[in-house]
Amino acid sequence: MLELVDLHYTYPDGTSALRGVSLRIDAGEKVALVGPNGAGKSTLLLHLNGVLRPRSGAVQIAAQPISDANIRQVRAQVGMVFQDPDDQLFSPTVFEDVAFGPLHMGLEEADVRGRVTLALDQVGMRGFETRMPHHMSLGQRKRVAIATVLSMTPSILALDEPSAGLDPRARRGLIELLHSLPQAMIVSTHDMRMVAEVFPRTIVLEQGQIAFDGPSATLLADAAMLLRYGLEV
């Protein structure tokens, strides 16, 4: 479903963010991406739908390298959800935000409405179609941001710090939502309790390289490894 092959990326100021990252994620697999700030987690996620392009190496979605020719299809297939939902929600109403992607796919109005209804159902936000996103709670806006990518019927979800800033009830609702979604998923997070509950596999990034890739239970049970990578349960 998703494969990175010897991925390297250096920012224009000379900062080396990714240094030879290779990984594979299969259909339906849920993977946590953890590590200290500056490890390269967000940079990696931004490569998955072509927001950033590698200096060397390759990103392949369903065995096809990302290119200018297929970038629109890739962005429909890989749903990127940013840490701050306000970076994703810009329309006057929830309906218009969730409908934006399907409309730009050229779908008929009935198909667009069907996709919006289904996506809002999936995130538990049906009935909020006419609400203004900026009048909603952070947890509600995060759910709507996820709905904006679900309406594109992606095969892969890439989420950056989805539980950041949520109160306990909203966080619990997010965990239940992530459990319920069938898509392959790679999620950057510092929330190790969420990792334990949702993600069977964890990848640790350190200084732009993979330091660990294996069962989450193995990582969480190893106090020395958690200390080494600056992770806390």
Side-chain angles (χ1 to χ4, degrees), residues 20-222:
V21 173
S22 296
L23 63 90
R24 175 176 174 162
I25 296 175
D26 293 327
E29 190 175 12
K30 289 180 166 63
V31 180
L33 184 65
V34 305
N37 290 333
K41 301 187 298 298
S42 295
T43 302
L44 189 155
L45 292 184
L46 291 172
H47 278 80
L48 302 185
N49 68 352
V51 175
L52 297 178
R53 301 291 184 91
R55 297 293 186 247
S56 65
V59 180
Q60 298 186 77
I61 307 299
Q64 296 296 316
I66 296 177
S67 66
D68 291 337
N70 67 6
I71 190 65
R72 290 187 67 180
Q73 291 89 341
V74 165
R75 287 178 178 166
Q77 197 166 4
V78 182
M80 180 72 194
V81 182
F82 298 104
Q83 178 176 346
D84 186 348
D86 294 336
D87 291 338
Q88 212 147 350
L89 305 177
F90 48 81
S91 299
T93 67
V94 166
F95 180 91
E96 290 170 275
D97 266 322
V98 181
F100 182 85
L103 280 170
H104 282 76
M105 293 170 67
L107 299 179
E108 297 292 334
E109 181 180 348
D111 291 334
V112 172
R113 290 187 176 277
R115 287 191 180 217
V116 171
T117 297
L118 177 59
L120 290 175
D121 268 339
Q122 287 181 283
V123 301
M125 294 298 289
R126 181 83 181 273
F128 284 72
E129 289 85 346
T130 61
R131 293 279 297 274
M132 298 180 185
H134 64 277
H135 287 168
M136 295 160 55
S137 71
L138 175 61
Q140 290 172 330
R141 296 200 308 276
K142 289 202 174 194
R143 284 175 172 266
V144 173
I146 294 172
T148 66
V149 300
L150 292 179
S151 67
M152 304 282 284
T153 63
S155 303
I156 306 164
L157 295 175
L159 294 89
D160 195 0
E161 295 289 353
S163 64
L166 296 183
D167 62 37
R169 179 178 294 179
R171 178 183 169 278
R172 172 52 46 196
L174 174 72
I175 287 173
E176 292 172 358
L177 170 61
L178 296 182
H179 260 306
S180 71
L181 295 175
Q183 286 88 349
M185 193 179 297
I186 180 166
V187 176
S188 169
T189 184
H190 291 288
D191 187 343
M192 299 304 291
R193 289 184 299 158
M194 183 175 71
V195 170
E197 292 190 57
V198 181
F199 302 100
R201 174 184 168 195
T202 295
I203 294 169
V204 179
L205 274 189
E206 186 178 45
Q207 297 182 352
Q209 295 180 306
I210 293 179
F212 173 88
D213 182 355
S216 300
T218 300
L219 175 67
L220 294 168
D222 190 328

